[in-house]
């Protein structure tokens, strides 16, 4: 048996990134674009607002184009009311006023809209308290978005706000990068699926509850991709290959966990290494065994079965590849420099994935981070709000040394600055 391929973290990340190439683009309805990345520039085909309208509930007054000062006579004859609804309205002449609602169109001849709290009414006469500046409380047509303005450039994320603006401008479809469809297979005859809401399953000796599938499902969704299939598969090669074929028929990318180590029953390794998937070792801990390639034309990335190693591998190799393929720019999460509050013995030449907790810090000062260096399991996520890939040639880092951490959800205060 030949020795496994050896790669650096950067080399294996490049292999996975090339494997998961850019997705196709598609023009989709606005309601189906949530969280996608725009594949072309969006341009306004009209203006916003489309017509001059009132910014307040009040009175539209015609002052003959003059600026009225406080000491001038400011009485107007009230000749009607305009609601926020379609209609035709005649030009208003000097000395007349209309009751007007927020958002209602402002007729020609109106010089200002005075908020109702500044108006005294007596029958069909109103008096204004204070001066009236031209265009007061009038939202001019096109002042928010001129006709032909760029709304979003290629690479923008379709947020709720952007979708709402597009709808207001009559843009009903957008061109976006398609979301990748991902299948997740957890391997191991020892795995038992848990069932939420049911009595605890009585595990037999050697059985463990499966956790990687749900963990990776969350991780994939956080990237903006779509999980279309998950399954737990035994260590039987025939069962595994059948599961791979089913997953590949549904997905653009298949992620497996487990079965790529150095044991005698590593089903993923034995089944895929001669079917287009290269198995390798990477200078990372946890997460030394890795693999990537194509099975029946579908991209496959194989991860270790240890949950923390699977999480580290996803963060190092799959998340950046998925996001880049779908048009996202960067990781999407903030990073910051934080100083260690304790000494760490490192492994020069090996990249270490370490979870930690970074504390809030007064503005202008450097945050302090506590990196979890004990234990190998997912219990390290307890209290964690960040992680780092520690890569240094120094055998030891001291308290006060700076490290770069990626801040995840739940980071305190103003850390994401």
């Amino acid at each position: 048996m030949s020795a496994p391929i050896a790669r650096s973290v950067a080399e294996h990340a490049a292999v996975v990134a090339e494997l998961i190439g850019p997705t196709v683009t598609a023009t989709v309805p606005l309601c189906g674009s949530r969280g996608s990345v725009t594949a072309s520039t969006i341009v306004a085909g009209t203006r916003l607002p489309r017509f001059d309208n009132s910014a307040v509930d009040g009175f539209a007054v015609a002052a003959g184009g003059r600026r009225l000062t406080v000491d001038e006579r400011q009485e107007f004859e009230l000749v009607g009311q305009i609601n926020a609804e379609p209609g035709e309205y005649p030009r208003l002449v000097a000395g007349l006023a209309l009751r007007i609602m927020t958002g209602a169109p402002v007729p020609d001849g109106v010089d200002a809209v005075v908020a109702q709290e500044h108006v005294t009414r007596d029958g069909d006469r109103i008096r204004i308290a204070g001066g009236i500046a031209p265009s007061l409380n009038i939202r001019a047509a096109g002042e928010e978005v001129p006709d032909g303005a760029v709304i979003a450039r290629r690479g923008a994320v379709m947020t709720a706000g952007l979708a709402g603006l597009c709808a207001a401008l009559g843009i009903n479809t957008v061109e976006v990068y398609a979301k990748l469809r991902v299948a997740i297979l957890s391997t191991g005859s020892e795995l038992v699926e848990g069932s939420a809401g049911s009595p605890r399953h009585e595990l037999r000796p050697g059985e463990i509850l499966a956790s990687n599938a749900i963990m990776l499902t969350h991780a994939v969704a956080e990237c903006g991709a779509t999980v279309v299939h998950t399954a737990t598969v035994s260590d039987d090669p025939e069962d595994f290959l059948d599961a791979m074929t089913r997953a590949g028929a549904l997905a653009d990318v298949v992620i497996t966990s487990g079965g790529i180590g150095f044991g005698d029953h590593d089903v993923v390794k034995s089944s895929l290494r001669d079917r287009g998937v290269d198995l390798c070792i990477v200078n990372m801990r946890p997460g030394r065994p890795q693999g990537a390639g194509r099975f029946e034309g579908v991209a496959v990335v194989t991860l270790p079965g240890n949950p923390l190693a699977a999480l580290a591998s996803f963060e190092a190799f799959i998340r950046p590849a998925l996001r880049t393929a779908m048009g996202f720019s960067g990781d999407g999460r903030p990073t910051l420099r934080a100083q260690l509050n304790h000494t760490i013995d490192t492994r020069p030449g090996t990249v270490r994935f370490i979870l930690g907790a970074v504390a809030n810090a007064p503005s202008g000062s450097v945050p302090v981070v506590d990196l979890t260096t004990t234990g190998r399991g997912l219990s390290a996520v307890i209290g964690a709000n960040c992680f780092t890939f520690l890569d240094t040639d120094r055998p030891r880092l001291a308290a006060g040394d700076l490290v770069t951490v990626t801040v995840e959800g739940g980071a305190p205060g103003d850390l994401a600055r």
Side-chain angles (χ1 to χ4, degrees):
M1 182 182 297
S2 59
I5 302 168
R7 291 176 182 154
S8 68
V9 169
E11 288 170 341
H12 190 61
V15 169
V16 175
E18 185 176 359
L19 182 68
I20 307 174
T23 66
V24 298
T25 63
T27 299
V28 301
L30 200 57
C31 61
S33 67
R34 182 180 61 182
S36 297
V37 176
T38 58
S40 60
T41 299
I42 303 175
V43 177
T46 186
R47 61 190 182 182
L48 193 68
R50 297 195 178 195
F51 49 83
D52 292 354
N53 69 92
S54 176
V56 297
D57 292 337
F59 296 85
V61 299
R66 297 187 307 112
R67 179 186 182 94
L68 298 181
T69 60
V70 174
D71 57 354
E72 289 188 80
R73 179 179 176 83
Q74 299 180 70
E75 289 190 358
F76 298 85
E77 181 183 356
L78 193 60
V79 294
Q81 178 168 314
I82 303 177
N83 298 319
E85 59 189 22
E88 297 292 333
Y89 305 97
R91 180 181 179 86
L92 207 62
V93 298
L96 301 183
L98 291 164
R99 181 82 167 104
I100 193 168
M101 302 295 107
T102 301
V106 174
D108 292 340
V110 171
D111 295 290
V113 174
V114 183
Q116 59 189 18
E117 56 265 33
H118 301 304
V119 175
T120 302
R121 181 174 177 177
D122 183 10
D124 61 355
R125 306 292 295 181
I126 64 169
R127 182 173 180 82
I128 310 300
I132 306 173
S135 301
L136 176 70
N137 293 322
I138 296 177
R139 294 186 289 219
E143 73 173 21
E144 289 187 50
V145 181
D147 188 4
V150 172
I151 302 307
R153 299 194 180 275
R154 180 178 179 227
V157 178
M158 288 300 301
T159 61
L162 179 55
L165 179 58
C166 287
L169 291 165
I171 299 169
N172 299 316
T173 61
V174 289
E175 185 184 13
V176 297
Y177 291 96
K179 292 189 177 184
L180 286 167
R181 300 167 301 163
V182 179
I184 299 169
L185 300 182
S186 298
T187 66
S189 297
E190 74 280 13
L191 297 180
V192 175
E193 291 289 343
S195 180
S198 64
R200 180 181 177 85
H201 178 82
E202 188 65 34
L203 299 179
R204 296 180 298 172
E207 288 184 333
I208 61 174
L209 290 172
S211 61
N212 282 357
I214 190 65
M215 176 181 72
L216 293 173
T217 295
H218 277 253
V220 168
E222 288 169 0
C223 293
T226 302
V227 176
V228 294
H229 178 69
T230 63
T232 300
V233 190
S234 73
D235 290 322
D236 179 86
E238 185 175 341
D239 289 347
F240 173 71
L241 289 173
D242 286 346
M244 282 292 300
T245 299
R246 289 194 299 272
L250 299 170
D252 304 303
V253 181
V254 178
I255 301 172
T256 71
S257 68
I260 59 171
F262 307 103
D264 297 331
H265 302 288
D266 289 309
V267 66
V268 177
K269 177 177 67 177
S270 62
S271 300
L272 297 185
R273 64 184 169 193
D274 295 326
R275 290 180 169 87
V277 177
D278 291 329
L279 281 300
C280 63
I281 56 172
V282 175
N283 63 329
M284 182 175 81
R285 290 187 183 275
R288 191 163 177 257
Q290 299 289 336
R294 290 192 178 276
F295 174 80
E296 298 180 355
V298 178
V300 177
V301 184
T302 66
L303 307 182
N306 174 281
L308 188 59
L311 179 61
S313 304
F314 184 92
E315 292 289 351
F317 310 120
I318 299 180
R319 180 184 172 93
L322 291 180
R323 286 183 58 83
T324 299
M326 294 185 294
F328 289 98
S329 176
D331 180 89
R333 298 170 299 193
T335 61
L336 56 83
R337 295 284 280 173
Q339 57 184 351
L340 285 168
N341 69 349
H342 56 92
T343 298
I344 292 181
D345 291 326
T346 66
R347 295 184 180 183
T350 297
V351 178
R352 293 183 64 190
F353 173 80
I354 309 176
L355 293 160
V358 60
N360 203 358
S363 180
S365 62
V366 180
V368 175
V369 64
D370 179 11
L371 296 179
T372 303
T373 56
T374 59
R376 299 178 56 192
L378 275 182
S379 61
V381 305
I382 299 173
N385 58 27
C386 68
F387 67 85
T388 185
F389 283 99
L390 201 58
D391 185 10
T392 177
D393 292 332
R394 296 168 55 188
R396 172 173 290 187
L397 296 181
D401 284 347
L402 294 175
V403 295
T404 299
V405 297
T406 298
V407 180
E408 298 187 285
D414 62 348
L415 287 175
R417 60 178 181 261

